[in-house]
Amino acid sequence: MRTAEIRRRFLDYFLQRGHTLVDSAPLPVDDPTLLFVNAGMVPFKPYLLGQAPAPYPRAVSVQKCLRTLDIDDVGRTARHGSFFQMNGNFSFGDYFKPETIEFAWDLITRPVADGGYGLPESRLWVSVFHDDDEAAELWRTRIGVSPDRIVRRGVVDNYWSMGVPGPCGPSSEIFIDRGPAYGPDGGPEVDEERFMELCNLVFMQFERGAGGAKDNYPILGPLPSKNIDTGMGLERMAFTLQGVDNLFEIDEVRPILDRAAELTAVPYGKSRESDVRLRVVADHVRTALMIIGDGVTPGNEGRAYVLRRILRRSVRAMRLLGYGGAALPELFTVARDCMSPSYPEISTDFARIQEVAAAEEDTFANTLKQGTSILDLAVAEAKAEGRTRLSGQSAFKLHDTYGFPIDLTLEMAAEQGLEVDREGFRQLMTEQRRRAKADAQSRKTGHGDMSAYRATVDAHGPTEWLAYETLTTESTVLAIVEGDVQVREADEGSIVEVVLDRTPFYAESGGQESDAGLLIGGDVRAEVLAVRRPVKGLVTHQVRVVGGTLAAGAAVTAQVDAEWRLGARQAHSGTHVVHAALRQVLGPTALQSGSYNRPGYLRLDFSWRSRLSPETRSEVEEAANLAIRRDLPVEVRFMTLPEARAIGALALFGETYDELVRVVDIGGAWSRELCGGTHVEHAAQIGPVALTSESSVGSGSRRVEAVVGVEAFRYLARERDLVSRLAEELKTPREELPDRVSALVARVKEAERESERLRARLLIAQAAELAARASDVAGVGLVTATAPDTASGRALAESVGERFDRPGVVAVAVPGDGKFVLVAAVSGAGRGLGLSAAELLRETLGGRGGGNAALAQGGGNGEAGPAFVRFAELVADRLTSGRS
């Protein structure tokens, strides 16, 4: 049974039983504790935590998930990959244990002909929490599972919580016996490789207090409303039903693995080492496809770094398997064909996805070249110092700074006869992981104490949000929050969060800054600094009380700054227009991946590999302004998400949308996007658009910035004034300015070249004079001098060294602000006596600096005079000790 069919059967089964279908949320998640969705229940957290009422009593989903904690171990076991899909059915205060257990067992054992999975009951085991007699009894009497196949387990295995105070409860799992070839008999307590978990049923019926993440916390009492959260790993069910040994051999993964084997000419099954690498490629390519599909582009932080690491591990594995060509374009095409039956948007958006992946592979190829050069220098330095090992610090720097894989460092160092200090490298990696874990743990506090906000929602319901309808409302202060607690009032000068029963203020979202404005009532005046949504349904206002005392229960007028809102509307609609213009000029793959706008200003990130030429930028700017001149109508409509997709509305990658979405059209299909922001009514209200910059924000991603409306007028006026001043200063008509400036630049460059030639001749003359006047140190000529900059210092040191007619050494200092650069040189005859510029320099500077026997350079602190003295002493010492 193909994976897409397993998925369809799961959804159909629960839809027939009154569940609402909820589409998978994107992998990137707006949650302070997570980078990516890592479990099927994550999109339902607000309902399970009681932060918002569930819009349906029961739901079903197949959620895309990603876990990267054990990324280095991917491919080494049958069950663990980075990307996976979680089948889940959920109940919010509706059905509970009896129905949940019955649903799971019925679907798993129901004959294939009747829409089930057809697994034999004789191969199934179940586990329950050791105190959950109710669940054990249901399995025994209602389902008919033999008591000797019902395993009772402890808190760590069969009790669920989110690791923080909140809902918790016992769980029950269904396992399948894969047979004696996979391990010893005796059930999941004996061997979980043979007895593999297929699904987990969580019964949320209690509330837990503070304590350990897994155990050692108090149970505070029963929840007022019991919930159900289940998870069935789609990949595990697939390799069970497809009769293969592991998730890398199922129909959605094996074709990628086979193509990798074909490209590398390394057959699968040849050796454990090559099999692990092929599995890594198959897993990581599929994972990267899904991450890029959800709008992430490679980078150096957060989820962007996770993607970069996954892509580079794929390329690295292919290279270690012997393939040096561009692998990702080949492999991503296969991955698309594997995943598009379940996710058709992958095919629709494939050109952009493949562009991002190919750009990162190109970037990594350059990284490998750079890393190889750095490694060669480190190896040469180790050999020059007589060491047989490359330091752990060098290996870690290559890995951490340049992205150079440690296994390539080990392999290439070995080729040159060196070992690598693996223990030192491991210690540095362990320390980095410790810091990363500490950082991840600190992010868990991002949940904060939301009780003050949830209490307000529970008491008064959601905020009546009127930002689309009006700029002013008569409102009541429902709550004032200072820190994490509610207070009765806030005095002048205080900065607090205020909850109103109704508000006209736009809360920051979708790249648009929140509104500015005032709360006014009696003698109270409060300036609105920011507007946000801390919990679903609630809008809060961060305010500074600038007059009077603001009290809970007070009546106030909430008043948005009209000029601010107008500027924000112009900028947000301008963002849509620029996005459409980019797609018109560059093609449909130039998709927005992020944006930010505030009154008069917009910034838009989009998928594109190369810099836009000045001509292309002008073309995009003209397309945007022509659309504005045509005064295209702006229409806002509400519809279901499937309806919006059907008419081609573009969604911002990484955003999570409700079933009912807001579609903003500018000129009909010319610009059609899902958007919750505020917009103008006609395109002409945007005013002119002026692109001010274009830059790179990572491989495969560019950024344009622009100003609109009055800000665009001001920007263009400044540009006009600048051109006028240049034309006046240069006595040149405006239209001839480019040629005039080019001619001036050429003349300046030629003057600089002539200056360099003159300086070189002066240096040569000075070098000859210095060499002739060299002092004598133990029979060797010694020259010390200063130079104005490092380039001159190196040139002078080399020139003096070449002009000695006897053994000679040179030290040239370049003074700075409390520091200096020292350049050392040794003539050929001096090197014949055993003198080395690199050794003399390092000892002079206390180990700092680098170079070779002829020329070396390093930096020191303080004045250069003592360094000259030390340098001369070292020369004398070397020569004297060599003769004794």
Side-chain angles (χ1 to χ4, degrees):
M1 188 182 297
R2 296 185 67 83
T3 304
E5 174 63 13
I6 299 170
R7 181 181 189 271
R8 186 192 66 78
R9 285 176 180 246
F10 183 85
L11 294 175
D12 284 351
Y13 180 89
F14 286 100
L15 288 174
Q16 292 165 12
R17 287 155 181 79
H19 292 64
T20 298
L21 174 62
V22 179
D23 288 339
S24 173
L27 284 166
V29 60
D30 184 17
D31 187 310
T33 68
L34 299 171
L35 292 176
F36 297 99
V37 173
N38 66 350
M41 52 73 63
V42 168
F44 302 101
K45 277 172 68 172
Y47 315 140
L48 299 173
L49 290 170
Q51 295 174 347
Y56 24 67
R58 48 177 76 180
V60 61
S61 71
V62 178
Q63 174 61 47
K64 297 178 287 188
C65 302
L66 178 62
R67 293 179 184 168
T68 58
L69 288 177
D70 301 315
I71 191 172
D72 292 319
D73 294 324
V74 166
R76 301 183 185 278
T77 70
R79 297 170 291 159
H80 295 98
S82 47
F83 172 80
F84 62 98
Q85 300 157 88
M86 189 60 72
N87 298 341
N89 58 285
F90 304 86
S91 168
F92 309 103
D94 189 11
Y95 61 82
F96 202 53
K97 287 184 188 178
E99 297 88 346
T100 305
I101 287 172
E102 204 165 82
F103 286 156
W105 190 266
D106 180 48
L107 174 60
I108 288 173
T109 61
R110 178 181 287 250
V112 172
D114 295 335
Y117 296 139
L119 293 178
E121 296 184 11
S122 60
R123 293 176 58 196
L124 301 178
W125 288 60
V126 299
S127 68
V128 297
F129 182 54
H130 64 74
D131 285 344
D132 194 356
D133 296 331
E134 179 187 4
E137 185 66 13
L138 286 167
W139 282 116
R140 188 180 66 81
T141 60
R142 191 156 180 161
I143 304 301
V145 177
S146 172
D148 61 357
R149 285 191 286 120
I150 301 173
V151 180
R152 291 180 181 258
R153 308 182 82 175
V155 172
V156 173
D157 294 306
N158 275 77
Y159 205 87
W160 176 91
S161 83
M162 291 184 64
V164 295
C168 65
S171 67
S172 184
E173 299 166 320
I174 300 177
F175 297 82
I176 186 164
D177 182 359
R178 302 173 71 203
Y182 294 94
D185 201 354
E189 281 284 80
V190 175
D191 189 301
E192 284 200 23
E193 194 68 30
R194 171 175 172 173
F195 296 89
M196 185 181 68
E197 176 196 331
L198 288 179
C199 68
N200 185 22
L201 318 175
V202 175
F203 311 123
M204 295 186 198
Q205 59 189 112
F206 300 111
E207 181 180 3
R208 61 156 284 184
K214 275 286 190 180
D215 54 11
N216 192 28
Y217 49 79
I219 302 299
L220 304 180
L223 291 172
S225 178
K226 298 175 181 178
N227 300 323
I228 290 295
D229 159 28
T230 76
M232 173 191 289
L234 181 54
E235 282 77 8
R236 291 193 185 188
M237 185 59 75
F239 75 74
T240 299
L241 294 176
Q242 292 173 16
V244 296
D245 281 346
N246 55 65
L247 66 85
F248 308 98
E249 298 177 14
I250 66 173
D251 61 302
E252 286 188 347
V253 185
R254 181 61 187 258
I256 310 170
L257 188 152
D258 287 341
R259 181 60 177 145
E262 182 182 350
L263 289 171
T264 60
V266 177
Y268 186 55
K270 179 183 179 181
S271 72
R272 173 168 172 74
E273 182 180 45
S274 60
D275 283 357
V276 167
R277 286 174 179 162
L278 288 169
R279 290 173 177 178
V280 165
V281 171
D283 171 88
H284 284 9
V285 165
R286 185 174 77 134
T287 299
L289 173 84
M290 303 306 291
I291 297 176
I292 299 171
D294 277 341
V296 181
T297 54
N300 292 324
E301 294 182 1
R303 56 178 66 101
Y305 179 72
V306 172
L307 173 60
R308 168 161 285 169
R309 186 178 178 210
I310 286 172
L311 284 168
R312 292 186 171 192
R313 290 188 91 238
S314 307
V315 175
R316 179 193 69 186
M318 289 294 288
R319 292 191 175 225
L320 291 175
L321 287 164
Y323 186 72
L328 295 186
E330 296 278 350
L331 298 171
F332 264 64
T333 302
V334 179
R336 174 201 61 194
D337 296 340
C338 291
M339 299 306 296
S340 57
S342 294
Y343 304 96
E345 64 272 16
I346 291 295
S347 287
T348 306
D349 195 32
F350 186 66
R352 179 191 67 84
I353 294 171
Q354 191 171 45
E355 184 84 5
V356 171
E360 181 61 20
E361 184 166 18
D362 290 346
T363 300
F364 187 43
N366 293 329
T367 295
L368 285 175
K369 290 178 184 177
Q370 184 182 21
T372 301
S373 300
I374 301 297
L375 177 62
D376 288 344
L377 286 174
V379 168
E381 185 173 332
K383 287 184 173 180
E385 294 174 358
R387 292 186 281 113
T388 59
R389 301 178 81 194
L390 195 67
S391 71
Q393 180 67 44
S394 296
F396 179 74
K397 182 178 180 182
L398 281 163
H399 170 84
D400 193 52
T401 305
Y402 299 99
F404 204 70
I406 182 61
D407 43 10
L408 282 186
T409 300
L410 292 168
E411 182 180 321
M412 295 173 68
E415 289 173 358
Q416 300 194 53
L418 291 182
E419 294 181 346
V420 176
D421 179 8
R422 298 193 192 196
E423 183 57 34
F425 174 81
R426 276 195 293 268
Q427 288 176 359
L428 290 166
M429 285 297 295
T430 299
E431 177 60 22
Q432 185 191 59
R433 289 190 182 113
R434 185 196 64 75
R435 290 194 300 268
K437 286 182 179 178
D439 180 60
Q441 184 64 34
S442 70
R443 283 202 304 270
K444 290 188 177 180
T445 61
H447 270 300
D449 185 355
M450 296 287 114
S451 57
Y453 300 116
R454 286 197 289 269
T456 304
V457 175
D458 293 342
H460 302 284
T463 306
E464 186 180 356
W465 188 62
L466 301 171
Y468 297 146
E469 287 81 27
T470 182
L471 297 179
T472 305
T473 61
E474 299 304 321
S475 307
T476 301
V477 177
L478 299 179
I480 301 173
V481 179
E482 189 168 16
D484 290 331
V485 297
Q486 288 195 24
V487 296
R488 289 299 306 163
E489 57 185 31
D491 296 327
E492 185 174 332
S494 301
I495 296 179
V496 294
E497 295 275 336
V498 175
V499 180
L500 304 176
D501 60 341
R502 65 180 60 88
T503 181
F505 285 89
Y506 182 83
E508 182 176 350
S509 64
Q512 180 176 329
E513 258 197 21
S514 59
D515 282 330
L518 298 170
L519 303 183
I520 304 170
D523 64 344
V524 176
R525 189 178 180 89
E527 177 187 3
V528 177
L529 306 175
V531 188
R532 64 190 188 105
R533 297 177 182 270
V535 298
K536 192 174 179 67
L538 190 72
V539 177
T540 68
H541 312 73
Q542 185 188 55
V543 306
R544 179 190 290 112
V545 182
V546 294
T549 298
L550 184 64
V556 296
T557 298
Q559 187 173 298
V560 175
D561 183 323
E563 284 299 313
W564 179 281
R565 173 68 72 83
L566 174 60
R569 292 166 64 203
Q570 290 175 313
H572 205 147
S573 296
T575 304
H576 286 223
V577 167
V578 171
H579 185 204
L582 282 165
R583 288 166 54 77
Q584 178 180 314
V585 173
L586 302 177
T589 61
L591 278 171
Q592 177 181 334
S593 57
S595 68
Y596 168 75
N597 52 76
R598 63 173 186 264
Y601 167 85
L602 68 89
R603 182 182 76 211
L604 187 146
D605 298 343
F606 63 100
S607 302
W608 201 251
R609 289 179 65 176
S610 56
R611 184 180 68 86
L612 302 188
S613 67
E615 294 76 17
T616 302
R617 283 178 54 179
S618 295
E619 194 175 348
V620 171
E621 189 176 69
E622 183 176 3
N625 283 297
L626 284 175
I628 292 169
R629 190 182 71 175
R630 293 201 306 271
D631 197 17
L632 298 176
V634 179
E635 182 183 5
V636 176
R637 294 178 285 166
F638 288 88
M639 62 187 71
T640 66
L641 188 57
E643 287 171 340
R645 286 174 173 160
I647 64 172
L650 298 176
L652 179 62
F653 293 113
E655 289 288 316
T656 301
Y657 298 98
D658 296 328
E659 273 301 304
L660 197 64
V661 296
R662 186 169 180 262
V663 179
V664 177
D665 291 348
I666 301 179
W670 186 75
S671 171
R672 179 170 287 155
E673 301 188 30
L674 303 188
C675 182
T678 60
H679 289 273
V680 298
E681 295 168 357
H682 292 273
Q685 294 173 335
I686 297 170
V689 171
L691 297 188
T692 58
S693 73
E694 187 267 343
S695 58
S696 170
V697 286
S699 61
S701 187
R702 307 293 297 180
R703 169 175 292 173
V704 292
E705 296 179 81
V707 285
V708 302
V710 173
E711 287 303 318
F713 276 119
R714 291 170 178 160
Y715 173 80
L716 294 172
R718 289 193 298 270
E719 294 285 297
R720 179 195 62 200
D721 291 344
L722 177 61
V723 171
S724 296
R725 287 165 57 193
L726 283 172
E728 184 177 345
E729 187 74 24
L730 297 175
K731 311 298 183 190
T732 303
R734 292 186 181 195
E735 61 273 13
E736 296 177 14
L737 273 178
D739 291 339
R740 175 71 167 143
V741 170
S742 294
L744 286 173
V745 169
R747 286 171 58 185
V748 169
K749 287 182 177 178
E750 179 56 36
E752 287 175 346
R753 285 193 289 271
E754 180 60 28
S755 175
E756 285 294 322
R757 288 192 288 269
L758 289 172
R759 187 165 64 172
R761 286 198 289 270
L762 286 172
L763 280 174
I764 291 170
Q766 184 182 4
E769 183 182 348
L770 287 171
R773 292 192 295 105
S775 60
D776 187 274
V777 177
V780 169
L782 170 66
V783 170
T784 58
T786 60
D789 55 64
T790 304
S792 300
R794 288 178 65 89
L796 181 61
E798 286 182 293
S799 296
V800 173
E802 290 169 357
R803 278 156 181 75
F804 275 117
D805 55 4
R806 56 175 177 145
V809 294
V810 188
V812 178
V814 182
D817 185 14
K819 297 180 180 180
F820 63 89
V821 173
L822 190 67
V823 182
V826 177
S827 68
R831 295 196 296 276
L833 297 177
L835 295 174
S836 164
E839 290 179 6
L840 289 168
L841 183 84
R842 274 196 290 269
E843 288 200 41
T844 300
L845 299 177
R848 284 174 290 183
N852 52 42
L855 187 71
Q857 178 181 315
N861 296 318
E863 299 295 327
F868 283 149
V869 174
R870 174 66 176 155
F871 187 83
E873 290 173 347
L874 288 169
V875 172
D877 182 64
R878 287 281 196 287
L879 294 171
T880 304
S881 61
R883 293 167 184 161
S884 60

